[in-house]
Amino acid sequence: MALKYYQLDAAQVLAQLHTQKTGLSQTEAATRLQATGPNKLSDHKQTSLLTKFILQFKDLMIIILMIAAFVALLAGEGSDAIIIFLVIILNAVFGVFQEAKAENAIAALQKMTTPKSRVLRDQTVQVIDSEDLVPGDVVLLEAGDIIPADVYFLEANALKVEEAALTGESVPVEKQANPLPAKDIPLAEQTNLGFMNTNVTYGTAQAVVVETGMATQVGRIAKMLTEVDQTVTPLQKNISHLSKVLSVLILVIAAFIFAFGTLTGRESPLDMLLTAISLAVAAIPEGLPAIVTITLALGTQKMAKKHALIRKLPAVETLGATQIIASDKTGTLTQNKMTVEQFYTDGQLKPAAQLKFQADSKLALAMLLANDSQQTPTGLVGDPTETALIQHFLGQTGFDWDKVCAAYPRTASLPFDSDRKLMSVQTGELLLTKGAPDELLRRANFIEEAGQVTPLTKAKRQELAKVNKQLADQALRVLGFAYKKLAPADQLNLEAEQDLIFVGLIGMIDPERPEVKAAVAEAKQAGIRPLMITGDHMDTARAIAIRLGIIAPTDTKGVISGAQLDQLSDQELAQHVGEYSVYARVAPEHKVRIVKAWQAHGKIVAMTGDGVNDAPALKTADIGVGMGITGTEVSKNAADIVLADDNFATIILAVKEGRKVFANIQKAIQYLLSANLGEVLTLFLMTIFNWSIFAPVQILWINLVTDTFPAIALGVEPGDKGLMDQAPRGLKSNFLSNGVGFNIIYQGLLEGLLTLGVYLYAICWPVHQDPTLIHQDALTMAYITLGFLQLVHAFNCKSLTASVFSKQIFANKFFNWAILTSALLLAATIFIPQFNVLFHVSPLNLSQWGVVLLAGALLVIIVELVKAYQRTKK
């Protein structure tokens, strides 16, 4: 805000905004809306469908393929050019469709936040869309509301606002309606202002809107995000590197073939150009972009079913490489609801689940009535601690809170304040008090146990202090309860909070999600280090971290506070960051430092966050994980993944899916590149030996039919067993790691040599006498062998080192249909006479088919022998 509204009183603010306490007229509001625009954060500039479509053609391999298609078209090979263009266009259309689908899903999530506001318009209360708010509007707020814009509080009644999303302050801030004369006050201490997208947790207020949309504090941070560089994912780096290497090799080999054939006078320059293009077409895995996109998209759909919404396709694979997961505590590792865990009453400390007592007992009455929670159609509303007290009883059979309130109507109350740390209510002649145990016991002189009231002795006080410490050491929030009977003439005042009768203690905590402990253990087993980042106290953070298994009970050095972080330079933090697994009392801005410190060690970091100030850290991390339920629009926009259920266990499920996606892409790449290497080797040696060479249409048919379909099918293979028992790949890993590069080379050479062997066999042992028919049969056998070998080899690629017979070979139904379809389409060129001319092939007899099948069997046997040797070296 250019103007420091917190320095002004209510009258000055209203005058500055040219409004009044009764609000604006509908006409004036409409005029201002035209001037200021809607009260919403600006959407990211939407890319047009045409631009998205054009951007799909930036890949270097696609560009080379397009050039080849144009040359083929100019040379009169229309069918070849059409087939290439079809592959390119289908890939682009699918990429645009998937990108638009992800954007639409995020847009639907954004619509969930702050849809309506109660305002004074024309001196009446109206409910309007929050987007229609303007500066000068007077809004009415109560517990449970989200503040729809930046506001100045004209009235504040016991008002508390949760501002963690903006300031990182984990405890609700008490608000008031008086000016703050100081010149420069931090945002977190501007107690007479409320900020867009923060939550009212307690009390009521009347406030005037001072800023809307991008002029709000949230809007300013949203604008800053555009300055944060977008992280390049490992997948993007791998694909880019692989594309460049392949493209250079392809161009060099094609140029060599063209020069060799032209200089030796084998064919005319135009024919050699077509031959070189055929070689380029054979070498370029034109299905690779489509296969990667499809595999990622299918992974996206599976993750969506598990409540992980992927905003950017490469993020699917990046998750699989994650080595560090830094997670928010509240709502992600924990349930984000305070829960009563322990009771101390009648001289005994018991788990809450074991203690059942009547709703009219004094302890129950103090819990239920010294309480400002409200029941609404959508559930309990109020301070989380107070709603937890009610929630404890709601699960009990026959409990009726309304009846209890009707039987004991509140006649007076003393609200909680931070000085005395107590709250008291009067119902008839009964005073009920709750608050901090130390303060409560100072005012208590008696204790009720087993229905008997006795003096509170020194020994009993020591016992209560010991129990209080015992509960606090478990990071439980401890509340004490007491009561006293008032005389009819007594009035409720601060003096009445004396000579109380103590009735019990309770210990509360925001408990861990039940599924998270197993997820943390699985993450550790997978070589991923989970971190906890929270604004809570160190003791609370340590207790939850121990319960979840993030740190061991004996670990005394694994927790660091935000204050201690501030004492470390960036270099010192990077040096010692490995010592800490829990970061407590941290502000969101610390998260960026934590991410960069781990990245300085070459680690791939996933970061979760839900607040506005978390957004820079989400963008800085290799993978940003936003919260779908509690997350702000800004944090969701900055994230790569949005968790629909805000659950840490969902991240681990997504990591597992990400690893499977990478493994499947790796299988598809091994299959494609080894197959294409076999094609290149075959064409290269055919050219060198001056043998008959495949026609471009034959090469394209093999590529489209036997390459693409099985490769896509490999992309949906079930995950290998033990996928989460392996260490993360890390930054140095790529698609050719773990022996894949070696497999591609030897398997490609094997395919090429077997194909050439079949060609040579057909020349040496022909079934015809005519030289033309002999060469036609030889070329046909080589063509069908190369295609058949690739289909057989798809089974080899189901696992990098495991035997194909150790898996359920036919478990992947899509794979089975892909192989069958490809085989039928390949065989159709031989068995359907009309196709013989188009594909330049001739029919084969049984003995020739037998040679083709034998070549396929040899491929499987040799690959199985190499795999067996590789397994012995592990």
Side-chain angles (χ1 to χ4, degrees):
M1 300 172 194
L3 184 65
K4 296 178 180 179
Y5 284 102
Y6 61 80
Q7 294 180 325
L8 309 179
D9 61 26
Q12 291 172 314
V13 172
L14 292 172
Q16 187 71 36
L17 295 168
H18 305 291
T19 187
Q20 51 192 342
K21 199 170 182 180
T22 54
L24 299 171
S25 67
Q26 198 70 41
T27 304
E28 175 63 18
T31 302
R32 294 190 183 193
L33 186 62
Q34 288 291 326
T36 62
N39 174 42
K40 66 176 184 177
L41 302 181
S42 296
D43 296 329
H44 293 292
K45 189 176 289 185
Q46 294 295 318
T47 308
S48 68
L49 283 177
L50 178 61
T51 304
K52 288 177 183 176
F53 184 76
I54 293 172
L55 289 174
Q56 304 298 317
F57 298 92
K58 287 173 60 179
D59 187 90
L60 185 58
M61 288 195 297
I62 295 294
I63 293 171
I64 294 174
L65 199 57
M66 289 173 66
I67 293 171
F70 278 117
V71 174
L73 188 63
L74 293 173
E77 297 291 340
S79 59
D80 295 358
I82 290 171
I83 293 173
I84 296 175
F85 278 127
L86 280 175
V87 171
I88 295 171
I89 291 170
L90 284 172
N91 175 66
V93 168
F94 189 87
V96 171
F97 169 77
Q98 185 58 38
E99 193 174 330
K101 186 177 178 182
E103 286 182 358
N104 291 338
I106 293 300
L109 267 179
Q110 291 177 348
K111 290 179 182 177
M112 294 168 57
T113 58
T114 327
K116 301 288 183 182
S117 295
R118 288 188 305 135
V119 301
L120 289 174
R121 291 267 179 95
D122 292 326
Q123 300 187 11
T124 62
V125 178
Q126 299 181 22
V127 178
I128 66 169
D129 290 338
S130 295
E131 289 187 6
D132 294 336
L133 285 174
V134 295
D137 261 325
V138 174
V139 296
L140 304 177
L141 300 167
E142 61 184 21
D145 286 344
I146 298 174
I147 298 179
D150 284 2
V151 300
Y152 181 97
F153 294 116
L154 302 173
E155 296 179 8
N157 304 308
L159 186 66
K160 292 183 182 180
V161 178
E162 174 64 63
E163 295 183 339
L166 184 65
T167 66
E169 178 63 54
S170 62
V171 179
V173 178
E174 294 183 24
K175 295 290 186 178
Q176 46 85 28
N178 298 311
L180 303 170
K183 288 185 178 180
D184 294 302
I185 299 179
L187 202 65
E189 297 176 17
Q190 294 175 14
T191 54
N192 55 1
L193 298 181
F195 305 105
M196 186 179 192
N197 280 1
T198 57
N199 307 299
V200 178
T201 63
Y202 196 84
T204 61
Q206 184 176 349
V208 60
V209 175
V210 295
E211 299 285 8
T212 59
M214 294 300 288
T216 63
Q217 293 295 329
V218 171
R220 290 186 169 204
I221 295 174
K223 194 179 297 182
M224 289 168 51
L225 286 179
T226 59
E227 301 171 4
V228 180
D229 293 333
Q230 186 65 44
T231 304
V232 179
T233 69
L235 176 71
Q236 291 166 324
K237 292 176 184 175
N238 281 333
I239 291 293
S240 175
H241 178 72
L242 188 60
S243 298
K244 289 175 182 177
V245 171
L246 288 176
S247 299
V248 170
L249 288 174
I250 290 162
L251 291 175
V252 169
I253 294 172
F256 174 81
I257 291 295
F258 173 75
F260 179 84
T262 303
L263 292 173
T264 58
R266 189 181 188 281
E267 294 181 18
S268 68
L270 181 59
D271 288 337
M272 283 311 305
L273 182 60
L274 285 174
T275 300
I277 290 172
S278 299
L279 184 64
V281 171
I284 294 174
E286 68 277 356
L288 181 58
I291 288 159
V292 170
T293 302
I294 291 169
T295 304
L296 291 173
L298 291 171
T300 295
Q301 293 176 5
K302 290 184 179 179
M303 289 186 184
K305 293 177 182 177
K306 297 173 181 176
H307 308 294
L309 176 63
I310 307 299
R311 296 188 68 243
K312 301 164 189 173
L313 278 183
V316 177
E317 182 275 335
T318 309
L319 264 177
T322 298
Q323 296 163 293
I324 305 292
I325 298 179
S327 177
D328 215 17
K329 179 184 78 70
T330 305
T332 306
L333 298 174
T334 63
Q335 298 177 32
N336 195 23
K337 60 177 184 180
M338 294 297 289
T339 303
V340 180
E341 281 211 345
Q342 301 270 353
F343 272 104
Y344 176 84
T345 185
D346 292 336
Q348 298 181 53
L349 183 63
K350 292 184 177 181
Q354 296 181 12
L355 189 63
K356 304 293 182 186
F357 44 79
Q358 297 300 314
D360 60 353
S361 74
K362 297 299 189 298
L363 177 56
L365 288 176
M367 291 172 63
L368 293 168
L369 301 177
N371 195 314
D372 288 325
S373 300
Q374 296 178 10
Q375 184 71 273
T376 69
T378 57
L380 285 172
V381 173
D383 184 88
T385 300
E386 295 193 333
T387 58
L389 299 178
I390 307 298
Q391 198 69 45
H392 178 75
F393 290 93
L394 289 180
Q396 296 184 14
T397 304
F399 172 75
D400 191 327
W401 186 30
D402 291 334
K403 285 186 178 180
V404 175
C405 293
Y408 298 92
R410 180 186 296 191
T411 54
S413 66
L414 289 173
F416 176 88
D417 68 53
S418 55
D419 293 328
R420 65 185 224 288
K421 298 180 181 179
L422 297 175
M423 172 193 182
S424 295
V425 298
Q426 181 180 358
T427 172
E429 297 179 0
L430 187 63
L431 171 70
L432 300 167
T433 303
K434 80 166 188 294
D438 293 344
E439 294 297 324
L440 194 74
L441 288 170
R442 285 180 55 222
R443 293 166 171 80
N445 290 327
F446 303 93
I447 184 170
E448 179 182 293
E449 292 182 329
Q452 300 296 316
V453 177
T454 58
L456 191 56
T457 63
K458 183 178 180 180
K460 181 58 72 172
R461 289 181 184 276
Q462 291 174 344
E463 180 186 335
L464 293 174
K466 184 178 179 181
V467 173
N468 183 27
K469 184 178 185 304
Q470 180 181 341
L471 293 174
D473 288 344
Q474 300 174 46
L476 299 179
R477 182 177 183 182
V478 187
L479 284 178
F481 297 88
Y483 76 97
K484 71 181 281 190
K485 290 186 178 180
L486 299 172
D490 288 347
Q491 292 186 349
L492 182 58
N493 51 38
L494 294 180
E495 286 72 25
E497 292 178 336
Q498 302 294 333
D499 291 328
L500 299 176
I501 303 170
F502 179 83
V503 288
L505 297 170
I506 64 163
M508 313 172 70
I509 200 168
D510 177 11
E512 68 275 17
R513 287 177 178 261
E515 66 274 19
V516 169
K517 185 173 184 178
V520 167
E522 187 173 10
K524 286 188 169 183
Q525 184 179 348
I528 301 169
R529 182 165 179 174
L531 309 177
M532 176 196 288
I533 299 180
T534 178
D536 277 345
H537 191 276
M538 289 182 68
D539 291 340
T540 304
R542 181 191 298 276
I544 292 292
I546 290 173
R547 288 163 67 151
L548 291 174
I550 292 176
I551 60 174
T554 55
D555 187 350
T556 57
K557 296 183 179 180
V559 184
I560 186 171
S561 69
Q564 291 169 324
L565 275 177
D566 289 333
Q567 302 301 314
L568 300 176
S569 67
D570 289 342
Q571 292 77 12
E572 290 172 329
L573 177 58
Q575 184 180 352
H576 297 286
V577 70
E579 300 173 11
Y580 310 115
S581 294
V582 179
Y583 300 84
R585 283 291 193 216
V586 297
E589 54 265 26
H590 288 124
K591 291 187 176 183
V592 174
R593 294 189 64 202
I594 296 168
V595 170
K596 289 184 176 179
W598 280 106
Q599 288 175 331
H601 288 269
K603 301 295 185 182
I604 296 178
V605 182
M607 169 67 72
T608 72
D610 56 5
V612 173
N613 279 355
D614 293 337
L618 294 176
K619 275 205 165 185
T620 302
D622 298 283
I623 196 87
V625 183
M627 301 295 130
I629 298 173
T630 60
T632 59
E633 290 184 38
V634 176
S635 64
K636 291 173 191 174
N637 279 328
D640 303 290
I641 294 175
V642 176
L643 301 183
D645 59 358
D646 291 10
N647 193 341
F648 179 85
T650 301
I651 304 176
I652 304 304
L653 290 173
V655 167
K656 187 183 296 185
E657 189 65 34
R659 289 191 175 190
K660 187 178 81 172
V661 164
F662 179 86
N664 285 349
I665 292 176
Q666 204 171 35
K667 293 171 187 176
I669 287 176
Q670 175 179 316
Y671 171 75
L672 278 174
L673 297 190
S674 58
N676 288 4
L677 177 59
E679 294 172 12
V680 170
L681 181 65
T682 302
L683 284 167
F684 182 79
L685 292 179
M686 280 180 166
T687 304
I688 297 296
F689 296 150
N690 204 23
W691 293 351
S692 300
I693 195 167
F694 293 141
V697 70
Q698 291 176 325
I699 298 167
L700 281 172
W701 193 251
I702 288 175
N703 278 7
L704 289 177
V705 173
T706 64
D707 275 15
T708 307
F709 292 158
I712 292 173
L714 284 170
V716 294
E717 275 288 295
D720 294 336
K721 291 181 179 178
L723 203 60
M724 292 297 282
D725 295 333
Q726 303 166 8
R729 300 187 312 276
L731 285 172
K732 295 182 180 179
S733 176
N734 58 55
F735 287 121
L736 304 183
S737 301
N738 301 323
V740 173
F742 170 75
N743 289 350
I744 288 170
I745 293 172
Y746 95 81
Q747 290 166 5
L749 292 173
L750 188 57
E751 285 189 37
L753 292 175
L754 285 171
T755 301
L756 292 170
V758 169
Y759 180 91
L760 192 59
Y761 172 87
I763 295 292
C764 296
W765 289 276
V767 296
H768 298 98
Q769 299 302 317
D770 188 326
T772 302
L773 292 176
I774 290 173
H775 282 89
Q776 191 171 5
D777 279 359
L779 196 61
T780 299
M781 288 179 67
Y783 157 74
I784 202 70
T785 298
L786 185 58
F788 178 65
L789 287 175
Q790 292 184 14
L791 295 182
V792 170
H793 187 48
F795 286 94
N796 290 330
C797 293
K798 278 175 168 276
S799 177
L800 299 182
T801 57
S803 169
V804 67
F805 302 109
S806 68
K807 299 188 68 172
Q808 292 181 306
I809 301 178
F810 302 109
N812 184 350
K813 293 181 180 179
F814 183 67
F815 181 88
N816 300 338
W817 282 110
I819 295 295
L820 180 60
T821 302
S822 296
L824 290 174
L825 289 172
L826 187 64
T829 62
I830 306 293
F831 288 109
I832 298 177
Q834 290 82 355
F835 284 176
N836 291 171
V837 176
L838 177 62
F839 287 94
H840 313 289
V841 296
S842 58
L844 303 177
N845 63 25
L846 286 177
S847 65
Q848 291 171 318
W849 278 108
V851 173
V852 172
L853 295 175
L854 178 61
L858 282 173
L859 177 68
V860 173
I861 291 169
I862 295 171
V863 171
E864 282 294 306
L865 290 173
V866 174
K867 282 184 177 182
Y869 175 77
Q870 289 174 329
R871 290 194 295 272
T872 64
K873 294 298 180 181
K874 274 194 170 184

